[in-house]
Amino acid sequence: MTENASKYNGPDHIGIIMDGNGRWAQSQGLSRIKGHRQGVETCPRIIEACQELDIHYLTLYAFSAENWKRPESEVNALMELLELFLMNETETLVKQRVRLHAIGRVEDLPARPRAVLKKAMDVTRKFDEWHLTLALNYSSRNEIVDATKSIAAKVAAGKLDPKDLDWETISNHLYTKEMPDPDLIVRTSGETRLSNFLLMQSAYAEFYFTATCWPDFTKTHLEEAISYYNNRERRFGRTGEQIDVEASLSF
Ligand code: FPP
């Protein structure tokens, strides 16, 4: 866990709940799947914008563990789009020197997107400055369950003393153990829920909600979100006066 302290630093990690593909499509008399297809088009634009804006970590909520409940045709279309996105974008990610990660129970994805995902992660493994994480079959509650199982197994094997358990131990067993906590969570389409996305990691994140649907989301919208973030004072439990003193000392 990191504290990207105070209002004087821009966000280093942005998590985005890419919502509103279906409504965007339906409002124009198109099928929901066309909306998802258009939503996929937004992703490379925002990955590029993050580099231009010096944001090193971008996490996109692409498929939640609850999304399996959607009609089979929509789930299949989303899996095909994921596969296509990875096939089309891996070369660009390599050119951009972006490392691809995935969080969630990716082992339960269908074989084809899983294979392309693995390949894309393998070929970008050597990069360490820019990070794109796809949350796939992701649920924060499942993440806590998986972390707890793995911690319990270590305790049962005598490798971990329960007395030593603290937040750092738990955090080191989350899917996100190698990345900093998100500084800013953005949700598009006017909904103001977290929907099981990075619940523990966003304990001190700022939240930005916009009515813009994901297919219409551009670099300008991202800049608006960042500008909102930059006007927040992040105190991490401290007082505003303490933050001002720390900021003056760091200049
Ligand atoms: C929410 O829109 C979006 C999703 C459930 C999936 C997000 C997926 C994509 C943008 C495409 C896949 C992404 C990648 C990176 C391959 P919604 O369907 O809930 O919209 P609605 O709330 O208007 O119905």
Side-chain angles (χ1 to χ4, degrees):
M1 187 180 72
T2 54
E3 290 183 6
N4 186 5
S6 97
K7 60 189 168 190
Y8 305 105
N9 296 325
D12 196 39
H13 182 181
I14 300 186
I16 306 186
I17 305 175
M18 309 182 284
D19 198 10
N21 296 339
R23 273 163 291 156
W24 177 89
Q26 282 164 335
S27 72
Q28 321 190 26
L30 302 170
S31 71
R32 292 180 53 79
I33 290 165
K34 288 232 169 73
H36 291 310
R37 205 168 290 148
Q38 202 59 40
V40 174
E41 302 276 313
T42 303
C43 298
R45 215 165 54 218
I46 296 305
I47 297 165
E48 194 181 351
C50 279
Q51 289 200 307
E52 289 162 2
L53 298 167
D54 206 29
I55 290 146
H56 293 84
Y57 292 83
L58 172 67
T59 299
L60 298 176
Y61 203 6
F63 192 84
S64 77
E66 289 77 22
N67 285 152
W68 298 111
K69 294 179 202 157
R70 292 189 174 208
E72 200 183 337
S73 55
E74 185 167 336
V75 169
N76 290 342
L78 282 167
M79 290 301 140
E80 273 171 33
L81 284 172
L82 170 64
E83 193 182 330
L84 266 178
F85 168 80
L86 292 167
M87 287 195 311
N88 292 339
E89 293 304 318
T90 300
E91 208 181 307
T92 308
L93 293 178
V94 170
K95 277 195 197 121
Q96 293 169 315
R97 307 183 66 78
V98 173
R99 180 167 176 185
L100 179 71
H101 309 257
I103 53 172
R105 291 182 177 165
V106 285
E107 64 280 9
D108 294 334
L109 294 175
R112 276 179 28 197
R114 191 160 25 97
V116 195
L117 176 68
K118 183 179 178 309
K119 196 168 165 213
M121 290 197 298
D122 284 346
V123 298
T124 59
R125 198 172 296 280
K126 53 186 177 283
F127 304 127
D128 63 4
E129 187 179 2
W130 308 100
H131 300 267
L132 168 67
T133 301
L134 297 180
L136 293 164
N137 191 19
Y138 177 84
S139 136
S140 278
R141 289 181 173 176
N142 286 348
E143 183 176 27
I144 286 289
V145 170
D146 292 347
T148 308
K149 280 184 183 165
S150 130
I151 290 169
K154 286 183 187 167
V155 169
K159 290 183 183 157
L160 187 63
D161 187 336
K163 285 204 295 292
D164 297 330
L165 251 177
D166 55 12
W167 167 243
E168 201 184 338
T169 318
I170 293 171
S171 163
N172 284 334
H173 287 80
L174 297 177
Y175 307 143
T176 52
K177 57 180 175 288
E178 281 164 13
M179 63 174 88
D181 285 344
D183 301 303
L184 173 65
I185 301 284
V186 174
R187 182 167 188 153
T188 56
S189 91
E191 302 294 353
T192 51
R193 293 182 289 276
L194 271 182
S195 300
N196 222 344
F197 182 56
L198 300 180
L199 298 186
M200 300 305 299
Q201 297 86 342
S202 60
Y204 284 99
E206 301 294 331
F207 294 91
Y208 181 81
F209 300 103
T210 170
T212 305
C213 287
W214 180 246
D216 287 333
F217 195 80
T218 61
K219 182 182 176 189
T220 306
H221 295 107
L222 185 66
E223 285 172 322
E224 279 163 16
I226 292 169
S227 156
Y228 167 85
Y229 172 93
N230 287 340
N231 282 306
R232 308 298 306 162
E233 182 180 67
R234 304 187 76 202
R235 294 192 289 272
F236 299 99
R238 295 190 283 274
T239 66
E241 289 72 25
Q242 285 175 302
I243 298 295
D244 286 340
V245 169
E246 282 169 29
S248 66
L249 292 175
S250 69
F251 281 116

